[in-house]
Amino acid sequence: MKSVLVIGIGRFGYHLIDQLNRAGDQILAVDSSEERIEPVMDMVTSSLIGDATNPAFVKSLGVANFDVCFVAIGDDFQASLETTSLLKECGAKYVVARASRSVHEKFLLRNGADSVVFPEKQLAEWSAIRYSSAKVVDYLDYPGDYSIFEITVPENWIGKSLSELGIRKNFHLNVLSIKRNNNTILEFPADMVFEKGDTVTLFGADKDIKKNLGINY
């Protein structure tokens, strides 16, 4: 369980709080609008209404006590930048800032953000890759030109075992899990044979995934 501060309760902030709450984290929600705070009241540990660009207000939050601070402000970049900077000045351990445009990233990083997220851009990229191929079930970008893909097992894999296919040796891909009949299998013998309806989660370099799985992204 982590202690989390979320500043800015728009659409992104709301869904972020929803997921943090499901994970059992302790959440302080902050926004300048009481109207935006109300929908998350039942999901947070506490909430405050205030101006996060005000140094005195930010200092009063005790930001050094939080494991992570999210700046989820999406409609006012200047406010997002000022808030990010103030959080670091007040001792925040780790600041994640939301950006709507790539050009904003370098400014946020220079002004205290430890990480920058692009909700709309990242969702668009995921959706494009997920739905551009009928075989892709899920996808996760991994740092350093690597990716994790969950795909439906190719037709030419059905009836063949892991050792027979030589996925690691021939394709340079690692099998992380196999899903069969809604059950996820994390430990599997080399002689396990793929069946129709299976999905497999693979990790590897982008170039090997594109070459061996025929997925363009």
Side-chain angles (χ1 to χ4, degrees), residues 14-70:
Y14 176 88
H15 291 295
L16 175 63
I17 286 171
D18 184 34
Q19 291 301 313
L20 293 169
N21 177 53
R22 291 171 189 267
D25 292 328
Q26 294 183 328
I27 310 161
L28 169 59
V30 173
D31 199 282
S32 59
S33 167
E34 182 178 0
E35 183 179 355
R36 289 194 291 267
I37 285 284
E38 286 181 359
V40 301
M41 290 291 289
D42 293 336
M43 297 188 287
V44 300
T45 309
S46 56
S47 61
L48 287 172
I49 300 168
D51 179 6
T53 65
N54 183 309
F57 176 73
V58 173
K59 188 175 182 179
S60 73
L61 298 176
V63 298
N65 297 318
F66 293 94
D67 295 304
V68 60
C69 300
F70 287 94

Side-chain angles (χ1 to χ4, degrees), residues 28-164:
L28 169 59
V30 173
D31 199 282
S32 59
S33 167
E34 182 178 0
E35 183 179 355
R36 289 194 291 267
I37 285 284
E38 286 181 359
V40 301
M41 290 291 289
D42 293 336
M43 297 188 287
V44 300
T45 309
S46 56
S47 61
L48 287 172
I49 300 168
D51 179 6
T53 65
N54 183 309
F57 176 73
V58 173
K59 188 175 182 179
S60 73
L61 298 176
V63 298
N65 297 318
F66 293 94
D67 295 304
V68 60
C69 300
F70 287 94
V71 181
I73 302 168
D75 55 358
D76 187 339
F77 178 64
Q78 184 63 34
S80 178
L81 197 62
E82 290 179 23
T83 300
T84 298
S85 180
L86 282 172
L87 286 170
K88 271 302 180 183
E89 288 177 13
C90 292
K93 298 173 186 174
Y94 197 89
V95 178
V96 180
R98 175 192 177 182
S100 56
R101 298 169 58 190
S102 297
V103 70
H104 293 163
E105 182 178 20
K106 65 179 181 180
F107 293 105
L108 288 166
L109 291 172
R110 286 176 182 173
N111 283 272
D114 295 288
S115 181
V116 177
V117 294
F118 301 84
E120 293 86 356
K121 178 183 177 182
Q122 290 164 337
L123 178 58
E125 289 176 351
W126 180 89
S127 298
I129 293 170
R130 165 64 180 84
Y131 295 104
S132 65
S133 172
K135 70 179 73 172
V136 177
V137 177
D138 204 352
Y139 154 78
L140 176 65
D141 186 33
Y142 199 82
D145 297 324
Y146 288 86
S147 297
I148 297 173
F149 273 86
E150 181 183 1
I151 64 168
T152 55
V153 172
E155 287 288 335
N156 61 348
W157 289 16
I158 296 173
K160 296 179 181 178
S161 68
L162 292 165
S163 59
E164 186 178 358

